[in-house]
Amino acid sequence: MKLISKFQLFLLCVTLSFGSCSDHVQSSIPDFPVSLQLNLTSTYPTFRNSYNKSLTFIKGVSVTDRVGFGGILVYSGFDGTYYAFDMACPYEIKSTVRVYPNDIGQAVCEKCGSVFDIGYGIGNPSAGPAKEALKRYKISLSGDILYILH
């Protein structure tokens, strides 16, 4: 009996470890390189410790920057947390059709009119034809530098 319960425990641990290690959500937006560093003290001082503010990057700031498929929307949420999304609309799936933030915690597609809630970093559609959330990128803050990676 102990052998069976140890084996079952082992299977449970293996199953949970494979299921919980990945935070990557499948997206219709193609994978493109993402690498952007923002200095929140010297370059973007008003963005640091802000709420409901955004920055958009269609092109990199430096030659080594990579901004994904349609550009990067960096957002400081209502909770003070930083979030990053690909600007390509997941309904249109074109690098030139982008979402842009408004002042009420949403991003809106310029072509199809889909609205995505970004206020708390989710990116889920709330209006329009889109059914898929915006593609999210990982963010980390180290000192004064905000890193956006994929």
Side-chain angles (χ1 to χ4, degrees):
M1 185 69 172
K2 284 185 179 182
L3 181 62
I4 292 174
S5 62
K6 285 182 180 180
F7 179 72
Q8 289 172 334
L9 181 61
F10 170 75
L11 285 178
L12 178 64
C13 290
V14 168
T15 303
L16 290 176
S17 68
F18 280 118
S20 63
C21 287
S22 175
D23 63 351
H24 181 74
V25 175
Q26 192 71 348
S27 174
S28 298
I29 301 301
D31 284 336
F32 270 66
V34 173
S35 178
L36 189 62
Q37 298 178 22
L38 307 177
N39 188 316
L40 298 181
T41 299
S42 64
T43 312
Y44 303 98
T46 59
F47 194 67
R48 185 178 193 105
N49 300 320
S50 63
Y51 300 91
N52 193 32
K53 300 289 181 194
S54 61
L55 301 169
T56 57
F57 299 90
I58 303 300
K59 296 179 183 176
V61 178
S62 72
V63 294
T64 59
D65 290 340
R66 301 292 176 256
V67 294
F69 182 64
I72 296 177
L73 164 62
V74 183
Y75 181 74
S76 62
F78 295 136
D79 57 358
T81 303
Y82 298 108
Y83 302 102
F85 303 94
D86 198 289
M87 292 178 68
C89 175
Y91 181 77
E92 298 293 333
I93 315 174
K94 295 178 184 170
S95 64
T96 57
V97 179
R98 299 180 176 98
V99 299
Y100 287 93
N102 61 23
D103 59 354
I104 58 172
Q106 300 170 327
V108 182
C109 176
E110 62 184 12
K111 184 170 182 183
C112 73
S114 291
V115 178
F116 302 88
D117 293 325
I118 60 173
Y120 292 98
I122 305 299
N124 284 340
S126 60
K131 302 294 183 217
E132 182 181 318
L134 295 174
K135 184 172 190 166
R136 275 183 60 177
Y137 295 123
K138 294 179 183 176
I139 283 199
S140 65
L141 180 63
S142 179
D144 295 333
I145 309 296
L146 189 64
Y147 297 93
I148 297 107
L149 304 168
H150 176 61

